[in-house]
Amino acid sequence: MTGWTLNEKNLVATAAAAAPSVHNTQPWVLEFHEDHEVRLYERLDRPLPHHDPLGRDRLISCGAALEHVRLAMRILGWLPQIALRHDGARVTTTGRAEPSTVDRRRHGAIVARHSHRRPFAARPVAAALRAELLTAHHTDGVGVRRLYDDETPALARLLHHAALALRADDAYQRELAAWTAPVRDPLPGAGVSSAIRRTSTLPWGGLVRRTTMVPDVPTLTGRLRGELILLLETPDDGPFDHVRAGTAAEQIWLAAVDTGLAGALSTQPFQLHEVRAGLVEALSLSGFPQLMLRFGHQV
C-alpha cells in the first residue's frame, strides 16, 4: 500500500479546483485513498433548483473536474483509469509512465483557461485548428457537432428565446444574484464575479441578467457566424452521459487554449426543454445536446 505525499495531494486538488463549474459552485469533493486512488463525489448541498433543476450542469461540472484530476495524475507520472459509479467516480492507477508532451501542455493550459465573455476578433479559426478541435477529446459516448453558417439562424432563434426567458425569470435571477460575489476573482466555490454585470456580456456566452442586452435574431446570427461553435451530444441523457460530456468539453477547451484560442462553455440555454428539442429538430441530431462550446481569437 502506498500513500500520497502532501505535494501530490495539493497538485491534484489545485487542478480540480481550477475546473469550470456551474455558477462557480465547485459541486464536488475529492477523497484520496491508498495506492494513489482518487474518488470524486458529487456535492448535493449546493443545488441550483432554478438554473439546474435536474442537476445536469452539476454533473457536467464534475466531469470537467475529473479531466483535471486525470491530467494532474499524469503529471505525477501515473497512468490513471476512470470508472464512473453510481456513488461517484473512482480514479485508479494502472502503472507508471512519463507524462507525454500533450499531457504537459494540456495541464499547463489549466491555469490559462477562462471564460471569454466578449466578442471574438473578426478573424476566423483556421481550418486546421477546427479539424484539430473536432478530434481533441478521447471520451467514449460523446459526439462533437460543428455548426455551419447556414445553421446559425436556427441556433440564433433558439438562443434569443432562451435569453429572453432567463432574463424574465424572477426565480432564476434571484438564484443568480445569490451566487454572485462582490469581487473580481471569487475563490473556487464562491460564485461568479459581480464584475461580470458591468461588462457587455453576450447572451450566448455569458450569464443572462436583468441588464443583459439581447440582440435581435439577425444581429445574433451575424455574430454567431464569426465563431467556431461546437455542440456536444450523447446517445442517452443519464448521469453518466452528463459527466462524460463535461469531461469531453474540458478536453476540447484545454486543447483550444493550448493553440492560443479563447473560448467559453454554455449550458444555460440547454436547461429549457424547447431549446434542446429545437436543436435536435433543426440540426437533425441523433443524440441529446448537452452543451455548446464557442471558440475564436481574442481582440
Side-chain angles (χ1 to χ4, degrees):
M1 299 284 281
T2 58
W4 294 84
T5 68
L6 181 60
N7 286 340
E8 288 175 333
K9 286 183 177 180
N10 286 339
L11 181 69
V12 174
T14 299
S21 64
V22 55
H23 287 6
N24 186 26
T25 55
Q26 303 277 296
W28 58 76
V29 63
L30 298 182
E31 283 186 1
F32 293 89
H33 292 262
E34 294 295 320
D35 291 329
H36 284 85
E37 177 182 316
V38 181
R39 297 179 190 176
L40 183 146
Y41 298 101
E42 175 188 10
R43 289 189 63 169
L44 301 178
D45 61 339
R46 297 186 176 183
L48 296 169
H50 300 291
H51 171 88
D52 188 26
L54 301 178
R56 183 168 62 240
D57 281 10
R58 192 166 60 237
L59 289 174
I60 288 173
S61 303
C62 288
L66 268 177
E67 174 59 14
H68 284 207
V69 168
R70 187 194 70 82
L71 283 170
M73 292 180 71
R74 286 296 297 119
I75 294 302
L76 292 172
W78 295 100
L79 290 171
Q81 179 174 284
I82 297 174
L84 300 183
R85 302 159 57 93
H86 291 290
D87 62 344
R90 180 173 294 179
V91 187
T92 56
T93 59
T94 61
R96 301 279 295 176
E98 284 295 312
S100 68
T101 300
V102 171
D103 292 328
R104 294 184 187 279
R105 292 174 67 96
R106 299 284 171 83
H107 183 264
I110 287 176
V111 295
R113 185 208 58 79
H114 68 279
S115 294
H116 185 80
R117 303 189 186 279
R118 297 180 180 275
F120 294 113
R123 177 161 59 103
V125 176
L129 282 183
R130 293 198 303 266
E132 181 178 340
L133 294 183
L134 283 168
T135 59
H137 87 84
H138 46 84
T139 303
D140 292 338
V142 181
V144 183
R145 169 76 151 74
R146 177 194 168 194
L147 266 75
Y148 294 90
D149 285 352
D150 62 347
E151 297 172 323
T152 52
L155 177 63
R157 287 192 294 271
L158 292 168
L159 295 180
H160 183 265
H161 165 77
L164 294 180
L166 292 171
R167 191 174 67 176
D169 188 328
D170 291 338
Y172 173 88
Q173 292 297 330
R174 286 194 298 270
E175 187 173 81
L176 177 56
W179 279 98
T180 297
V183 294
R184 179 166 294 277
D185 296 307
L187 294 172
V192 295
S193 172
S194 60
I196 296 173
R197 292 180 177 179
R198 299 188 289 274
T199 63
S200 179
T201 61
L202 308 176
W204 66 96
L207 299 170
V208 178
R209 300 182 182 277
R210 293 287 193 200
T211 57
T212 298
M213 299 296 294
V214 181
D216 58 29
V217 173
T219 301
L220 184 51
T221 300
R223 291 179 178 178
L224 290 170
R225 282 179 174 158
E227 303 179 352
L228 171 61
I229 299 174
L230 304 179
L231 287 180
L232 270 63
E233 59 178 326
T234 56
D236 293 304
D237 200 25
F240 290 176
D241 300 286
H242 305 153
V243 173
R244 292 186 184 108
T247 296
E250 190 63 3
Q251 289 166 352
I252 296 170
W253 198 350
L254 292 177
V257 171
D258 183 42
T259 66
L261 293 176
L265 181 151
S266 179
T267 60
Q268 285 185 109
F270 297 78
Q271 294 295 342
L272 301 179
H273 172 76
E274 62 270 27
V275 171
R276 292 183 92 200
L279 285 171
V280 171
E281 180 179 0
L283 303 177
S284 300
L285 300 178
S286 58
F288 293 85
Q290 300 293 350
L291 57 90
M292 176 177 71
L293 288 164
R294 307 164 45 242
F295 296 112
H297 297 279
Q298 296 195 60
V299 177

